[in-house]
Structure formats: structure tokens, C-alpha cells
Amino acid sequence: MLQILCLVLCGLLTGTCTDPGALLRLGMDIVNHEVQSAMEESHILEKMAAEAGKKGPGGKPIKGLSNMKVKDVLVPVITLNFVPGVGIFQCVSTGMTITGKSFTGGYMEIIVVLNITATNRLLQDEETGTPMFKSEGCEIILVSVKTNLPSNKVISKFLDSTLHKVLPGLMCPAIDAVLVYVNKKWANLTEFMPVGQMGTVKYALTSLPATMADHIQVDFSPVVQQQKGETIQLADAGETPKFPEHSAEGSSQLLLSATFLTAELALLQSSLDVTIQDQK
Ligand SMILES: *[C@@H]1O[C@H](CO)[C@@H](O)[C@H](O)[C@H]1NC(C)=O
Ligand SMILES: *[C@@H]1O[C@H](CO)[C@@H](O)[C@H](O)[C@H]1NC(C)=O
């Protein structure tokens, strides 16, 4: 079993790491998956739609439109892009039907297709030290607007001003609500995690994750502790570890240093009855 482990580790390492620590490159594959699943988990657009019909502190009345309801929210399509040095640009394409009684007294139906865009800035939570995203500059871009009302200047002016008044308040909180779910995924990152029965490892962040053109780089200084709470010192080594040159586009990689693995294996040593000698 240890031989298999060694093969796997050696394959991962390819002799490039000499630094104590672990480096994570979060590619678009993982980021996309996390944001999509946060969106699904939160059922946010459906909740927003349900809220829109209720009268509450958030639901401002709209001049010329009463009994407003939102229905038939389209499954959102999310597009993400890295913004170097900042975070992630997010575009949520969706659509919905807004109904109500118009100023003309008749039933009104507006079918709107729109994009919600915002920049999710990558910051550090001051209290916990974990990374977090915070949205900035949310905008609603109308892609198409259809209505049952006759098309004339008065109606299109009414529609335009109504939609520009209603939609940001309705949709922008969705971006923040989704980020709450995304941010939760970082939550346990810096907790102590068990390594078998013999000890724990904690992936402390060395610095704030940095956003590059095609990934987010997360730099860890792992703390390896024995069950009794004694920290195993990671041997110091000079060179910065390097990622392999050719990796699939959008993919994520995890680079573990030999010294870190040595410390982890040292934890398992007593139960495996082996001697670990080679730092490489
Ligand atoms: C809306 O977003 C989609 C997907 O990102 C994009 O293809 C489209 O051009 C956008 N439309 C507008 C009007 O910005
Ligand atoms: C974080 O840890 C708590 C308690 O151990 C657990 O209930 C929760 O599911 C964990 N969260 C994630 C995102 O793994």
C-alpha cells in the first residue's frame, strides 16, 4: 500500500517542490462548479421572485404598476471570468415574467430577458482570516422586453423606467445571497483536520489568494500536529515549488511540497511501521 502511495505522490511531485507548504491553483473548473452549486443550493432567483409579490420593507411600490408578481424565472446561465488582481467577473443570464395591473387599468405582462453582471472581489475576512468574495457594481442589462401592451412611446418609456427601477433592487441581492453560499465553502479551510488517528493538519493561508488571468492561486503554510498537540516542524528548503508547464485549460492543480508530505507521513509512520528518509 505504501508503494502505491509513493507512486502517486512521486507522480504528483515530479521533483519540483522543495518549499514547506502547499500551493493550490483554483481553475475555472472548480470555481464554476462552486458558483453553480451555490446558485442551485440557494434557490435564490425563485426566492427573489416570491419576495417581489410581497409588500415589505424591501418591496417598494412602483408607480403605475400594482399587484406586481414575478413568475416563470428561467434557469440562470452563469458565465465567469477571472479579473487579474481583483477577483471574478460574473454574468447571470436569466429571464422572467412580471405581471400586474398597469396604469391603464388593464392586466399587464412583461416578459424580460436580462443579464445581471457584477465583479466579485476576492478579499480576506478580517475575523476568520479566510478568503471571501464581495460583489461590486451590480448592473442589469436588458436583453429583450416583450409585453402584451400596445407598443407606443408612452408604454415603452413606462416599461423602460419601471424595469430600470424594479430590476436592480429585485435581482442584485441575488448576487450577494449566492456569494454567502460560495463563501461558506472556504469556511472550514483553516480548521484543524484529522490525518488518520495520529494527528491533524491545518492549512493556514500564507497570504491572500491572488487572482491571475486563468486561476486563483492559494498559498498555504500547513501546520501538522501530532495527536498530543505537538507541532511537527517542516524542514525549510529554498526554492519555490513550480507547477508543471502544461496543464489542461481551466483545470485546477494542487502542489504539495516534499517537506509537507514528509511531515504528514511522519504522522502515519507509527501505524505503518516504516522509516522515511528521503526528503525528495
Ligand atoms: C448577456 O450574457 C450573455 C452570456 O454571457 C452574452 O452572450 C450576451 O451577449 C449578453 N447580452 C448583453 C445584451 O449584454
Ligand atoms: C464545516 O464543519 C462543520 C462542523 O464540523 C460541518 O458541519 C460543515 O458541514 C462543514 N462545512 C463544509 C462546507 O465542509
Side-chain angles (χ1 to χ4, degrees):
M1 179 196 126
L2 195 69
Q3 276 167 338
I4 295 167
L5 186 65
C6 182
L7 272 179
V8 172
L9 297 181
C10 297
L12 269 177
L13 293 170
T14 57
T16 46
C17 15
T18 48
D19 210 41
L23 274 176
L24 175 64
R25 269 188 180 184
L26 280 175
M28 205 34 105
D29 55 354
I30 288 182
V31 173
N32 239 326
H33 176 267
E34 294 305 320
V35 174
Q36 302 278 357
S37 71
M39 198 93 191
E40 280 159 29
E41 253 175 81
S42 62
H43 298 288
I44 194 61
L45 293 178
E46 291 89 333
K47 278 187 202 158
M48 297 280 151
E51 276 304 303
K54 288 183 200 157
K55 282 212 182 95
K60 284 185 216 140
I62 299 145
K63 220 170 132 191
L65 183 66
S66 52
N67 293 330
M68 188 179 94
K69 285 197 172 62
V70 177
K71 57 174 193 177
D72 303 335
V73 177
L74 299 181
V75 176
V77 176
I78 304 169
T79 318
L80 303 170
N81 286 297
F82 288 116
V83 184
V86 178
I88 296 167
F89 181 78
Q90 183 180 9
C91 175
V92 180
S93 306
T94 183
M96 67 206 64
T97 304
I98 302 170
T99 64
K101 213 168 117 185
S102 83
F103 63 98
T104 60
Y107 171 77
M108 182 169 90
E109 193 174 83
I110 311 166
I111 300 166
V112 57
V113 177
L114 52 88
N115 286 350
I116 312 162
T117 62
T119 301
N120 301 327
R121 187 177 284 275
L122 188 52
L123 302 167
Q124 193 164 18
D125 187 314
E126 277 177 22
E127 260 173 55
T128 61
T130 48
M132 60 175 277
F133 287 107
K134 193 169 183 302
S135 79
E136 286 177 359
C138 175
E139 274 184 54
I140 307 290
I141 299 155
L142 295 177
V143 177
S144 78
V145 180
K146 282 183 201 141
T147 167
N148 66 328
L149 299 182
S151 60
N152 61 43
K153 266 199 185 143
V154 179
I155 296 290
S156 32
K157 205 171 157 204
F158 166 72
L159 276 182
D160 205 50
S161 72
T162 301
L163 293 176
H164 279 111
K165 252 182 250 164
V166 177
L167 291 173
L170 194 61
M171 306 312 300
C172 287
I175 298 278
D176 295 323
V178 168
L179 288 186
V180 169
Y181 282 82
V182 175
N183 287 335
K184 266 190 206 160
K185 319 235 173 193
W186 300 104
N188 292 359
L189 190 69
T190 52
E191 302 281 308
F192 278 102
M193 284 179 274
V195 178
Q197 304 279 308
M198 305 311 295
T200 57
V201 59
K202 175 175 147 168
Y203 294 89
L205 290 179
T206 310
S207 54
L208 181 65
T211 311
M212 310 299 184
D214 58 1
H215 65 271
I216 292 173
Q217 179 138 332
V218 194
D219 203 342
F220 296 105
S221 309
V223 181
V224 185
Q225 285 195 345
Q226 285 169 326
Q227 204 63 297
K228 289 159 253 160
E230 228 171 285
T231 302
I232 300 177
Q233 286 302 323
L234 301 190
D236 205 8
E239 256 176 75
T240 315
K242 282 193 187 70
F243 283 96
E245 295 264 318
H246 304 287
S247 51
E249 204 183 313
S251 68
S252 300
Q253 286 109 35
L254 176 64
L255 199 64
L256 302 175
S257 71
T259 52
F260 170 49
L261 282 169
T262 304
E264 279 225 62
L265 288 173
L267 277 186
L268 302 170
Q269 196 170 1
S270 47
S271 49
L272 291 174
D273 189 25
V274 289
T275 314
I276 296 155
Q277 291 168 331
D278 194 352
Q279 287 276 309
K280 297 229 164 109

